[in-house]
Amino acid sequence: GAGVSQTPSNKVTEKGKYVELRCDPISGHTALYWYRQSLGQGPEFLIYFQGTGAADDSGLPNDRFFAVRPEGSVSTLKIQRTERGDSAVYLCASSFQDKNTEAFFGQGTRLTVV
Amino acid sequence: AQRVTQPEKLLSVFKGAPVELKCNYSYSGSPELFWYVQYSRQRLQLLLRHISRESIKGFTADLNKGETSFHLKKPFAQEEDSAMYYCALSRSSASKIIFGSGTRLSIRP
């Protein structure tokens, strides 16, 4: 079946604007993760959902970042008042909620704030 | 604090030579350790995990709790092994995955 899908693949926005990034996980996966990857760095954890609830949001850098997963499937990462430092590739991953299960990653959304 | 350290940003070896990508971690407890790989123009994918004790594409990794290391090894490098490699850890109860900064492996013909 289809893998994790992220839209858009590229997004260019002006500083100060609001953006939404979408993630469609693999069907049946209850766990969903958002990561941010800056150039030359590894993926940086942002938030993890188990079902509809955020099980761990300790990686969100500040209150401009927010994510939802209202029906336990699709998730949206929302960034308010974007700053140039928010420019990065935003990765989504999903997995079954079993011990030691594999996380499958999407292709990422490249966000550029100009 | 939970941390994964990959000291080499770039590792370049000749085809047929042995490869070792270094990974050290700090974690208070018993983490699960992973190696993820990203080939050119492809998405990040799991290569192997320490609990499986598998050899994937000729790669192996042994968890050394005394040295808090999880180095990735392959006896004979192939050109198709060229990629970005990320060492990662998570709690045993399946939660967030913490990644290292990655090592770019380049195999010269």
PDB file of all heavy atoms in Angstrom, chain B residues 26-46:
ATOM      1  N   SER B  26      24.232   8.576  25.007  1.00  0.00           N
ATOM      2  CA  SER B  26      24.080   8.748  26.439  1.00  0.00           C
ATOM      3  C   SER B  26      22.598   8.632  26.747  1.00  0.00           C
ATOM      4  O   SER B  26      21.760   9.254  26.084  1.00  0.00           O
ATOM      5  CB  SER B  26      24.626  10.099  26.902  1.00  0.00           C
ATOM      6  OG  SER B  26      23.934  11.156  26.288  1.00  0.00           O
ATOM      7  N   TYR B  27      22.302   7.791  27.712  1.00  0.00           N
ATOM      8  CA  TYR B  27      20.900   7.528  28.068  1.00  0.00           C
ATOM      9  C   TYR B  27      20.874   6.858  29.432  1.00  0.00           C
ATOM     10  O   TYR B  27      21.635   5.941  29.687  1.00  0.00           O
ATOM     11  CB  TYR B  27      20.272   6.613  27.018  1.00  0.00           C
ATOM     12  CG  TYR B  27      18.787   6.427  27.184  1.00  0.00           C
ATOM     13  CD1 TYR B  27      17.904   7.351  26.665  1.00  0.00           C
ATOM     14  CD2 TYR B  27      18.274   5.340  27.881  1.00  0.00           C
ATOM     15  CE1 TYR B  27      16.538   7.206  26.821  1.00  0.00           C
ATOM     16  CE2 TYR B  27      16.912   5.175  28.045  1.00  0.00           C
ATOM     17  CZ  TYR B  27      16.047   6.117  27.514  1.00  0.00           C
ATOM     18  OH  TYR B  27      14.699   5.969  27.679  1.00  0.00           O
ATOM     19  N   SER B  28      19.976   7.305  30.281  1.00  0.00           N
ATOM     20  CA  SER B  28      19.842   6.697  31.606  1.00  0.00           C
ATOM     21  C   SER B  28      18.779   5.623  31.543  1.00  0.00           C
ATOM     22  O   SER B  28      17.596   5.906  31.641  1.00  0.00           O
ATOM     23  CB  SER B  28      19.467   7.757  32.628  1.00  0.00           C
ATOM     24  OG  SER B  28      18.300   8.430  32.220  1.00  0.00           O
ATOM     25  N   GLY B  29      19.192   4.405  31.307  1.00  0.00           N
ATOM     26  CA  GLY B  29      18.253   3.305  31.154  1.00  0.00           C
ATOM     27  C   GLY B  29      18.722   2.374  30.055  1.00  0.00           C
ATOM     28  O   GLY B  29      19.901   2.337  29.711  1.00  0.00           O
ATOM     29  N   SER B  30      17.801   1.602  29.521  1.00  0.00           N
ATOM     30  CA  SER B  30      18.134   0.651  28.454  1.00  0.00           C
ATOM     31  C   SER B  30      17.411   1.053  27.173  1.00  0.00           C
ATOM     32  O   SER B  30      16.256   0.671  26.964  1.00  0.00           O
ATOM     33  CB  SER B  30      17.725  -0.767  28.863  1.00  0.00           C
ATOM     34  OG  SER B  30      18.455  -1.182  29.990  1.00  0.00           O
ATOM     35  N   PRO B  31      18.075   1.796  26.321  1.00  0.00           N
ATOM     36  CA  PRO B  31      17.406   2.258  25.109  1.00  0.00           C
ATOM     37  C   PRO B  31      17.399   1.196  24.018  1.00  0.00           C
ATOM     38  O   PRO B  31      18.134   0.213  24.077  1.00  0.00           O
ATOM     39  CB  PRO B  31      18.261   3.446  24.686  1.00  0.00           C
ATOM     40  CG  PRO B  31      19.641   3.063  25.115  1.00  0.00           C
ATOM     41  CD  PRO B  31      19.455   2.305  26.408  1.00  0.00           C
ATOM     42  N   GLU B  32      16.558   1.423  23.040  1.00  0.00           N
ATOM     43  CA  GLU B  32      16.619   0.667  21.799  1.00  0.00           C
ATOM     44  C   GLU B  32      17.481   1.478  20.829  1.00  0.00           C
ATOM     45  O   GLU B  32      17.298   2.684  20.704  1.00  0.00           O
ATOM     46  CB  GLU B  32      15.223   0.464  21.217  1.00  0.00           C
ATOM     47  CG  GLU B  32      14.274  -0.293  22.118  1.00  0.00           C
ATOM     48  CD  GLU B  32      14.728  -1.717  22.390  1.00  0.00           C
ATOM     49  OE1 GLU B  32      15.534  -2.255  21.607  1.00  0.00           O
ATOM     50  OE2 GLU B  32      14.280  -2.294  23.390  1.00  0.00           O
ATOM     51  N   LEU B  33      18.388   0.821  20.150  1.00  0.00           N
ATOM     52  CA  LEU B  33      19.281   1.491  19.214  1.00  0.00           C
ATOM     53  C   LEU B  33      18.973   1.083  17.784  1.00  0.00           C
ATOM     54  O   LEU B  33      18.642  -0.082  17.518  1.00  0.00           O
ATOM     55  CB  LEU B  33      20.743   1.153  19.526  1.00  0.00           C
ATOM     56  CG  LEU B  33      21.486   1.991  20.575  1.00  0.00           C
ATOM     57  CD1 LEU B  33      21.619   3.424  20.099  1.00  0.00           C
ATOM     58  CD2 LEU B  33      20.813   1.920  21.918  1.00  0.00           C
ATOM     59  N   PHE B  34      19.092   2.065  16.881  1.00  0.00           N
ATOM     60  CA  PHE B  34      18.765   1.847  15.478  1.00  0.00           C
ATOM     61  C   PHE B  34      19.819   2.500  14.590  1.00  0.00           C
ATOM     62  O   PHE B  34      20.492   3.450  14.990  1.00  0.00           O
ATOM     63  CB  PHE B  34      17.421   2.511  15.110  1.00  0.00           C
ATOM     64  CG  PHE B  34      16.277   2.189  16.026  1.00  0.00           C
ATOM     65  CD1 PHE B  34      16.042   2.935  17.164  1.00  0.00           C
ATOM     66  CD2 PHE B  34      15.413   1.162  15.722  1.00  0.00           C
ATOM     67  CE1 PHE B  34      14.978   2.660  18.004  1.00  0.00           C
ATOM     68  CE2 PHE B  34      14.334   0.864  16.549  1.00  0.00           C
ATOM     69  CZ  PHE B  34      14.121   1.617  17.697  1.00  0.00           C
ATOM     70  N   TRP B  35      19.888   2.021  13.374  1.00  0.00           N
ATOM     71  CA  TRP B  35      20.573   2.734  12.293  1.00  0.00           C
ATOM     72  C   TRP B  35      19.550   2.961  11.188  1.00  0.00           C
ATOM     73  O   TRP B  35      18.882   2.021  10.739  1.00  0.00           O
ATOM     74  CB  TRP B  35      21.753   1.945  11.737  1.00  0.00           C
ATOM     75  CG  TRP B  35      23.002   2.125  12.545  1.00  0.00           C
ATOM     76  CD1 TRP B  35      23.486   1.310  13.516  1.00  0.00           C
ATOM     77  CD2 TRP B  35      23.935   3.208  12.446  1.00  0.00           C
ATOM     78  NE1 TRP B  35      24.643   1.804  14.033  1.00  0.00           N
ATOM     79  CE2 TRP B  35      24.946   2.982  13.391  1.00  0.00           C
ATOM     80  CE3 TRP B  35      24.013   4.355  11.639  1.00  0.00           C
ATOM     81  CZ2 TRP B  35      26.028   3.839  13.564  1.00  0.00           C
ATOM     82  CZ3 TRP B  35      25.080   5.211  11.812  1.00  0.00           C
ATOM     83  CH2 TRP B  35      26.077   4.950  12.761  1.00  0.00           C
ATOM     84  N   TYR B  36      19.430   4.236  10.781  1.00  0.00           N
ATOM     85  CA  TYR B  36      18.595   4.612   9.654  1.00  0.00           C
ATOM     86  C   TYR B  36      19.499   5.048   8.508  1.00  0.00           C
ATOM     87  O   TYR B  36      20.599   5.564   8.732  1.00  0.00           O
ATOM     88  CB  TYR B  36      17.651   5.761  10.023  1.00  0.00           C
ATOM     89  CG  TYR B  36      16.399   5.333  10.752  1.00  0.00           C
ATOM     90  CD1 TYR B  36      16.421   5.056  12.122  1.00  0.00           C
ATOM     91  CD2 TYR B  36      15.190   5.204  10.078  1.00  0.00           C
ATOM     92  CE1 TYR B  36      15.265   4.653  12.785  1.00  0.00           C
ATOM     93  CE2 TYR B  36      14.037   4.812  10.733  1.00  0.00           C
ATOM     94  CZ  TYR B  36      14.081   4.541  12.078  1.00  0.00           C
ATOM     95  OH  TYR B  36      12.949   4.143  12.729  1.00  0.00           O
ATOM     96  N   VAL B  37      19.018   4.875   7.281  1.00  0.00           N
ATOM     97  CA  VAL B  37      19.799   5.240   6.105  1.00  0.00           C
ATOM     98  C   VAL B  37      18.935   6.063   5.160  1.00  0.00           C
ATOM     99  O   VAL B  37      17.713   5.863   5.077  1.00  0.00           O
ATOM    100  CB  VAL B  37      20.351   3.982   5.395  1.00  0.00           C
ATOM    101  CG1 VAL B  37      19.233   3.071   4.906  1.00  0.00           C
ATOM    102  CG2 VAL B  37      21.274   4.355   4.237  1.00  0.00           C
ATOM    103  N   GLN B  38      19.568   7.008   4.487  1.00  0.00           N
ATOM    104  CA  GLN B  38      18.869   7.804   3.467  1.00  0.00           C
ATOM    105  C   GLN B  38      19.726   7.825   2.210  1.00  0.00           C
ATOM    106  O   GLN B  38      20.777   8.484   2.171  1.00  0.00           O
ATOM    107  CB  GLN B  38      18.605   9.219   3.965  1.00  0.00           C
ATOM    108  CG  GLN B  38      17.721  10.016   3.019  1.00  0.00           C
ATOM    109  CD  GLN B  38      17.187  11.280   3.666  1.00  0.00           C
ATOM    110  OE1 GLN B  38      17.770  11.829   4.590  1.00  0.00           O
ATOM    111  NE2 GLN B  38      16.049  11.748   3.190  1.00  0.00           N
ATOM    112  N   TYR B  39      19.276   7.084   1.206  1.00  0.00           N
ATOM    113  CA  TYR B  39      19.946   7.088  -0.091  1.00  0.00           C
ATOM    114  C   TYR B  39      19.538   8.343  -0.857  1.00  0.00           C
ATOM    115  O   TYR B  39      18.518   8.965  -0.544  1.00  0.00           O
ATOM    116  CB  TYR B  39      19.587   5.831  -0.887  1.00  0.00           C
ATOM    117  CG  TYR B  39      19.986   4.547  -0.188  1.00  0.00           C
ATOM    118  CD1 TYR B  39      19.044   3.761   0.460  1.00  0.00           C
ATOM    119  CD2 TYR B  39      21.315   4.126  -0.165  1.00  0.00           C
ATOM    120  CE1 TYR B  39      19.406   2.596   1.122  1.00  0.00           C
ATOM    121  CE2 TYR B  39      21.688   2.963   0.494  1.00  0.00           C
ATOM    122  CZ  TYR B  39      20.727   2.207   1.133  1.00  0.00           C
ATOM    123  OH  TYR B  39      21.094   1.062   1.790  1.00  0.00           O
ATOM    124  N   SER B  40      20.337   8.686  -1.851  1.00  0.00           N
ATOM    125  CA  SER B  40      20.088   9.903  -2.611  1.00  0.00           C
ATOM    126  C   SER B  40      18.665   9.931  -3.174  1.00  0.00           C
ATOM    127  O   SER B  40      18.221   8.951  -3.785  1.00  0.00           O
ATOM    128  CB  SER B  40      21.089  10.000  -3.759  1.00  0.00           C
ATOM    129  OG  SER B  40      20.869  11.162  -4.517  1.00  0.00           O
ATOM    130  N   ARG B  41      17.953  11.014  -2.916  1.00  0.00           N
ATOM    131  CA  ARG B  41      16.598  11.244  -3.430  1.00  0.00           C
ATOM    132  C   ARG B  41      15.572  10.242  -2.899  1.00  0.00           C
ATOM    133  O   ARG B  41      14.517  10.067  -3.491  1.00  0.00           O
ATOM    134  CB  ARG B  41      16.577  11.231  -4.961  1.00  0.00           C
ATOM    135  CG  ARG B  41      17.494  12.253  -5.579  1.00  0.00           C
ATOM    136  CD  ARG B  41      17.383  12.242  -7.086  1.00  0.00           C
ATOM    137  NE  ARG B  41      18.422  13.048  -7.720  1.00  0.00           N
ATOM    138  CZ  ARG B  41      18.376  14.362  -7.817  1.00  0.00           C
ATOM    139  NH1 ARG B  41      17.350  15.021  -7.357  1.00  0.00           N
ATOM    140  NH2 ARG B  41      19.356  15.028  -8.392  1.00  0.00           N
ATOM    141  N   GLN B  42      15.883   9.567  -1.798  1.00  0.00           N
ATOM    142  CA  GLN B  42      14.924   8.647  -1.197  1.00  0.00           C
ATOM    143  C   GLN B  42      14.622   9.085   0.235  1.00  0.00           C
ATOM    144  O   GLN B  42      15.317   9.909   0.799  1.00  0.00           O
ATOM    145  CB  GLN B  42      15.466   7.213  -1.210  1.00  0.00           C
ATOM    146  CG  GLN B  42      15.653   6.643  -2.609  1.00  0.00           C
ATOM    147  CD  GLN B  42      16.023   5.172  -2.580  1.00  0.00           C
ATOM    148  OE1 GLN B  42      15.692   4.443  -1.634  1.00  0.00           O
ATOM    149  NE2 GLN B  42      16.708   4.711  -3.619  1.00  0.00           N
ATOM    150  N   ARG B  43      13.574   8.524   0.788  1.00  0.00           N
ATOM    151  CA  ARG B  43      13.204   8.883   2.148  1.00  0.00           C
ATOM    152  C   ARG B  43      14.011   8.088   3.164  1.00  0.00           C
ATOM    153  O   ARG B  43      14.591   7.057   2.848  1.00  0.00           O
ATOM    154  CB  ARG B  43      11.703   8.686   2.356  1.00  0.00           C
ATOM    155  CG  ARG B  43      11.193   7.297   2.117  1.00  0.00           C
ATOM    156  CD  ARG B  43       9.669   7.262   2.157  1.00  0.00           C
ATOM    157  NE  ARG B  43       9.064   8.010   1.059  1.00  0.00           N
ATOM    158  CZ  ARG B  43       7.768   8.287   0.982  1.00  0.00           C
ATOM    159  NH1 ARG B  43       6.946   7.888   1.937  1.00  0.00           N
ATOM    160  NH2 ARG B  43       7.264   8.946  -0.039  1.00  0.00           N
ATOM    161  N   LEU B  44      14.038   8.615   4.363  1.00  0.00           N
ATOM    162  CA  LEU B  44      14.732   7.974   5.469  1.00  0.00           C
ATOM    163  C   LEU B  44      14.088   6.612   5.752  1.00  0.00           C
ATOM    164  O   LEU B  44      12.863   6.493   5.794  1.00  0.00           O
ATOM    165  CB  LEU B  44      14.601   8.881   6.696  1.00  0.00           C
ATOM    166  CG  LEU B  44      15.491   8.648   7.899  1.00  0.00           C
ATOM    167  CD1 LEU B  44      16.955   8.787   7.533  1.00  0.00           C
ATOM    168  CD2 LEU B  44      15.117   9.652   8.982  1.00  0.00           C
ATOM    169  N   GLN B  45      14.913   5.598   5.934  1.00  0.00           N
ATOM    170  CA  GLN B  45      14.371   4.261   6.190  1.00  0.00           C
ATOM    171  C   GLN B  45      15.236   3.522   7.202  1.00  0.00           C
ATOM    172  O   GLN B  45      16.435   3.772   7.322  1.00  0.00           O
ATOM    173  CB  GLN B  45      14.282   3.461   4.891  1.00  0.00           C
ATOM    174  CG  GLN B  45      15.611   3.261   4.187  1.00  0.00           C
ATOM    175  CD  GLN B  45      15.456   2.587   2.840  1.00  0.00           C
ATOM    176  OE1 GLN B  45      15.240   1.387   2.763  1.00  0.00           O
ATOM    177  NE2 GLN B  45      15.563   3.356   1.769  1.00  0.00           N
ATOM    178  N   LEU B  46      14.598   2.603   7.898  1.00  0.00           N
ATOM    179  CA  LEU B  46      15.306   1.814   8.899  1.00  0.00           C
ATOM    180  C   LEU B  46      16.256   0.839   8.220  1.00  0.00           C
ATOM    181  O   LEU B  46      15.883   0.145   7.279  1.00  0.00           O
ATOM    182  CB  LEU B  46      14.301   1.051   9.752  1.00  0.00           C
ATOM    183  CG  LEU B  46      14.885   0.151  10.842  1.00  0.00           C
ATOM    184  CD1 LEU B  46      15.557   0.987  11.911  1.00  0.00           C
ATOM    185  CD2 LEU B  46      13.788  -0.725  11.451  1.00  0.00           C
TER     186      LEU B  46
END
